[in-house]
Amino acid sequence: MLSTSFLVNLLSAFLIPVIFGETEIRFAGQTQFVVNETSTTVIRLVIQRIGEPANVTALVSLHGEDTGDFLDTYAAAFIPAGETNRTVYIAVCDDDLPEPDETFTFHLTLQKPSANVKLGWPRTVTVTILSNDNAFGVISFNMPPSVTVRELRGRNESVPVTLIREKGTYGKVTVTFEVEGGPNPPEEDLSPVSGNITFLPGRATVVYNLTVLDDEVPENDEIFLIQLKSVEGGAEINISRNSVEIIIKKNDGPVRFFQSIYLVPEEDHILIIPVIRGKDSDGNLIGSDEDEVSIRYTIITGNSTAHAQQNLDFIDLQANTTIVFPPFIHESHLKFQIIDDATPEIAESFHIALLQDSLLGDAVLTGPSVVQVTIKANDKPHGVLSFSSVLFERPVIIDEDTTSSSRLQEISVVRNGGTHGNVSVNWVLTRNSSDPSPVIEDIQPSAGVLHFAPGQMLASIPLTVIDDDLPEEAEAYLLRILPHTIRGGAEVSEPAELLFYIQDSDDVYGLITFFPMENQRIESSRGERYLSLSLTRLGGTKGNVQMLYSALYIPAGAVDPFRAKDGILNVSRRNSLIFPEHRTQVAKKLPIRNDAFLQNGAHFLVQVI
């Protein structure tokens, strides 16, 4: 330990004469300053002396060109031997010149350098004066606060937006903008609706183009606000001129029909079809209307029976096919004459279309742009169904015994008026009596559907009479076509009911004939003579049947009724007898006068009337 300490002291003895033999001048404390350019900004520099005491004069001076940014660019500090430091002050000059950040260097020097006095470190000071007086500029719009533009039809329109950078133009500056307002979203009408606008160094004016989009949407005046939102690069935004109002004038007045479908009767009248300009579906004004607008129309027809034909079914009353809207006129009219004829026709349509390519003026074609006009079915186009009038000229009587179960074709339904389309109707057959037995025991079927094809005017109801062996009385039947079942657009008219008959069949009331001849004879009894007749009732025995007959006496010779002689029978020439119901045989005795002479070979002639 003693040897080590002795070595250190020895080395110190050798070094002390070196240190204490020199004096060093340097800056002490802060040597880098960043300041604003103000009238009160002062930079405090401390100059320090170390080493041997000596009287020293140090100088502080600006390195390089004097740009006028400091009130003084030179300062001197005398440090007497009895002191170790001095402070000097450098004041910043506050001017009105826009300047970017500037860095200056002050150097420390000795007034009278000597061998024993030297400069130490640090010997320089840097001073940075921050950008001032809006060195990078103040950004604002350089145009009227409100600009009115038009949305051109068929192409886009540019809107120049002018920005200026006032005061300084140092550096590259970028400002962002956004478009707000409406009522529609801005991107539907303007492009772009946000973005950046850049000022290059030294550039004081920039013209930026916004685009007004042709959207073909009817709109009233729209007000948008383009605002400067933020800036990069050191500049500022002038908040008093950081927005511009852009007004897009009302445009694209809609042109359309008032409605798309018209259903009209066929009668002589004028059909008026309004065409609207500059109004929405609620009747509110929208879009431009201060200029003239025109558009052409065309009429579309077809070749089928469902298409109305121009000049046959309707007449276009316009002098030409151009519709003109003068300024501020919002409605025009097309007129068509509907022709009333006597031809049965189904519903017929034609169309009127506004032509997009013919539209002239600040307008757009909107819906409905096509109108369908339908002339209602007229003059009974599908026909009127009824029973044929021929059936009512005389009663319809059907003989079961001669029809032989064949199909009846004589009962038919006629289709008057038009014969368009397929038509059908239901029919039903009922008994027109209190008989509860089913109809189909006598006639089949009892119901069905009658069909008419297009163009068909007559159709028969297919009835089949059942030929049986049962004696039956005459029966009445009611055949009806049912109006509520009609299909195909036709109508049912009177007569819609037909009453017809199946006459009595299979000798229901019987077949009256004489019994064999041996049962017809002359009977004699005491004091009385009779012509005894015996008749039979074959077949049915329905009801009480009265038979009329004549009884004649014919003398010998030819059996001729004109030779008949009266006074033989004690009755008149004409007589009757009754077959009671269910009775099959009746006998009748005709008295012969007691004084009558009956010749040999004479005849009694009895005839059923």
Side-chain angles (χ1 to χ4, degrees):
M1 291 294 294
L2 292 176
S3 61
T4 301
S5 176
F6 174 78
L7 178 61
V8 171
N9 291 333
L10 181 63
L11 288 174
S12 299
F14 280 104
L15 290 173
I16 289 173
V18 176
I19 295 175
F20 289 102
E22 293 183 356
T23 300
E24 183 178 279
I25 303 298
R26 65 179 184 180
F27 284 119
Q30 184 177 353
T31 58
Q32 292 182 336
F33 297 88
V34 177
V35 298
N36 293 314
E37 183 186 86
T38 68
S39 59
T40 59
T41 301
V42 176
I43 300 160
R44 177 176 174 275
L45 304 177
V46 178
I47 303 171
Q48 183 182 42
R49 185 196 70 205
I50 60 174
E52 286 291 325
N55 293 321
V56 177
T57 300
L59 304 177
V60 177
S61 61
L62 177 65
H63 177 71
E65 179 184 358
D66 182 5
T67 58
D69 290 281
F70 299 95
L71 295 178
D72 293 304
T73 60
Y74 175 88
F78 174 70
I79 303 174
E83 297 182 16
T84 59
N85 57 68
R86 274 287 189 267
T87 300
V88 297
Y89 299 92
I90 303 295
V92 174
C93 179
D94 184 14
D95 55 33
D96 294 327
L97 302 176
E99 296 162 314
D101 291 353
E102 296 177 287
T103 300
F104 302 90
T105 302
F106 287 85
H107 286 264
L108 178 65
T109 59
L110 297 175
Q111 186 179 42
K112 293 180 179 181
S114 66
N116 295 327
V117 180
K118 66 176 184 178
L119 291 175
W121 297 98
R123 63 180 67 172
T124 61
V125 170
T126 60
V127 178
T128 298
I129 302 177
L130 296 175
S131 61
N132 53 81
D133 300 308
N134 299 112
F136 300 101
V138 179
I139 311 300
S140 64
F141 287 106
N142 186 31
M143 54 192 300
S146 181
V147 177
T148 300
V149 297
R150 296 180 68 91
E151 179 183 302
L152 300 182
R153 185 167 177 265
R155 62 186 178 89
N156 296 331
E157 170 76 345
S158 291
V159 181
V161 177
T162 303
L163 284 77
I164 60 170
R165 177 158 66 155
E166 298 177 293
K167 296 190 177 181
T169 59
Y170 289 100
K172 178 181 176 181
V173 172
T174 300
V175 62
T176 63
F177 71 90
E178 289 184 8
V179 179
E180 302 171 349
N184 298 324
E187 55 267 21
E188 295 180 4
D189 295 278
L190 292 171
S191 178
V193 295
S194 63
N196 300 324
I197 301 173
T198 299
F199 287 84
L200 296 176
R203 187 79 175 270
T205 303
V206 171
V207 177
Y208 188 84
N209 286 315
L210 291 178
T211 300
V212 179
L213 303 176
D214 177 26
D215 55 14
E216 296 188 1
V217 175
E219 295 162 320
N220 287 325
D221 288 353
E222 294 181 284
I223 300 176
F224 298 97
L225 196 66
I226 176 170
Q227 286 188 305
L228 302 180
K229 290 292 187 177
S230 63
V231 66
E232 295 180 358
E236 298 179 8
I237 294 175
N238 185 345
I239 60 174
S240 65
R241 289 186 293 160
N242 67 340
S243 63
V244 169
E245 187 178 73
I246 297 177
I247 301 174
I248 301 178
K249 286 182 62 63
K250 59 182 180 178
N251 57 82
D252 295 330
V255 174
R256 60 180 180 83
F257 284 114
F258 179 74
Q259 65 187 58
S260 60
I261 295 177
Y262 290 85
L263 186 63
V264 297
E266 185 191 72
E267 57 186 35
D268 285 320
H269 82 288
I270 305 299
L271 172 63
I272 298 177
I273 299 178
V275 185
I276 309 299
R277 186 272 285 258
K279 289 184 178 181
D280 61 18
S281 57
D282 294 326
N284 301 314
L285 293 178
I286 190 170
S288 57
D289 59 359
E290 62 267 27
D291 298 319
E292 181 178 281
V293 166
S294 67
I295 191 170
R296 290 191 296 109
Y297 69 90
T298 187
I299 297 173
I300 304 170
T301 60
N303 296 321
S304 74
T305 56
H307 293 92
Q309 302 301 312
Q310 191 168 353
N311 299 324
L312 292 177
D313 298 296
F314 68 94
I315 299 173
D316 183 0
L317 299 180
Q318 278 60 237
N320 57 66
T321 59
T322 299
I323 305 169
V324 178
F325 292 92
F328 305 109
I329 298 299
H330 302 104
E331 188 168 322
S332 183
H333 300 90
L334 298 179
K335 297 181 180 180
F336 295 87
Q337 173 74 51
I338 306 301
I339 299 174
D340 186 10
D341 56 34
T343 303
E345 295 164 313
I346 60 173
E348 300 173 299
S349 299
F350 65 96
H351 294 80
I352 308 159
L354 300 175
L355 301 177
Q356 170 74 48
D357 295 341
S358 70
L359 184 60
L360 298 176
D362 186 10
V364 293
L365 184 60
T366 62
S369 62
V370 177
V371 159
Q372 175 180 300
V373 179
T374 299
I375 302 173
K376 294 180 181 179
N378 53 83
D379 302 308
K380 313 297 184 184
H382 302 289
V384 179
L385 307 185
S386 64
F387 284 109
S388 174
S389 60
V390 175
L391 298 172
F392 297 89
E393 293 179 357
R394 55 184 176 83
V396 178
I397 299 175
I398 300 169
D399 186 350
E400 175 191 309
D401 298 330
T402 60
T403 303
S404 301
S405 299
S406 64
R407 291 171 65 88
L408 296 176
Q409 300 296 328
E410 61 181 282
I411 299 180
S412 58
V413 175
V414 295
R415 183 185 190 184
N416 295 309
T419 58
H420 289 280
N422 293 299
V423 168
S424 66
V425 67
N426 290 36
W427 58 267
V428 64
L429 179 64
T430 59
R431 295 184 186 275
N432 195 42
S433 66
S434 59
D435 186 349
S437 60
V439 171
I440 58 175
E441 292 182 359
D442 299 301
I443 303 179
Q444 295 180 351
S446 62
V449 180
L450 195 62
H451 294 275
F452 288 83
Q456 183 178 352
M457 299 178 63
L458 188 69
S460 296
I461 294 180
L463 295 177
T464 299
V465 177
I466 306 300
D467 183 13
D468 54 32
D469 296 328
L470 299 176
E472 296 169 302
E473 288 188 284
E475 294 180 280
Y477 298 88
L478 185 63
L479 181 62
R480 292 179 294 144
I481 50 179
L482 306 176
H484 67 276
T485 66
I486 196 79
R487 290 176 294 277
E491 300 177 18
V492 172
S493 180
E494 298 296 335
E497 295 183 353
L498 175 66
L499 185 65
F500 70 93
Y501 305 88
I502 297 179
Q503 69 182 37
D504 53 274
S505 63
D506 300 301
D507 298 321
V508 64
Y509 300 109
L511 177 62
I512 307 298
T513 186
F514 289 99
F515 257 61
M517 286 303 296
E518 57 268 22
N519 293 330
Q520 321 301 327
R521 60 186 181 274
I522 297 175
E523 295 181 0
S524 296
S525 63
R526 184 175 26 174
E528 294 181 343
R529 290 182 298 175
Y530 298 95
L531 175 60
S532 180
L533 301 177
S534 182
L535 293 97
T536 184
R537 183 182 189 185
L538 304 177
T541 58
K542 182 74 175 177
N544 297 318
V545 174
Q546 181 184 36
M547 187 193 78
L548 300 178
Y549 66 93
S550 63
L552 303 174
Y553 173 77
I554 299 175
V559 183
D560 184 350
F562 289 101
R563 297 181 61 238
K565 182 180 178 183
D566 292 329
I568 301 299
L569 293 172
N570 200 19
V571 292
S572 65
R573 287 191 174 194
R574 291 180 177 269
N575 293 278
S576 66
L577 59 83
I578 299 295
F579 273 88
E581 187 171 24
H582 306 308
R583 183 82 171 270
T584 62
Q585 186 174 356
V586 173
K588 183 71 174 178
K589 291 183 178 182
L590 303 179
I592 300 173
R593 291 180 59 174
N594 291 331
D595 58 351
F597 176 74
L598 300 179
Q599 292 180 342
N600 189 27
H603 294 83
F604 282 101
L605 177 62
V606 180
Q607 289 180 312
V608 177
I609 298 173

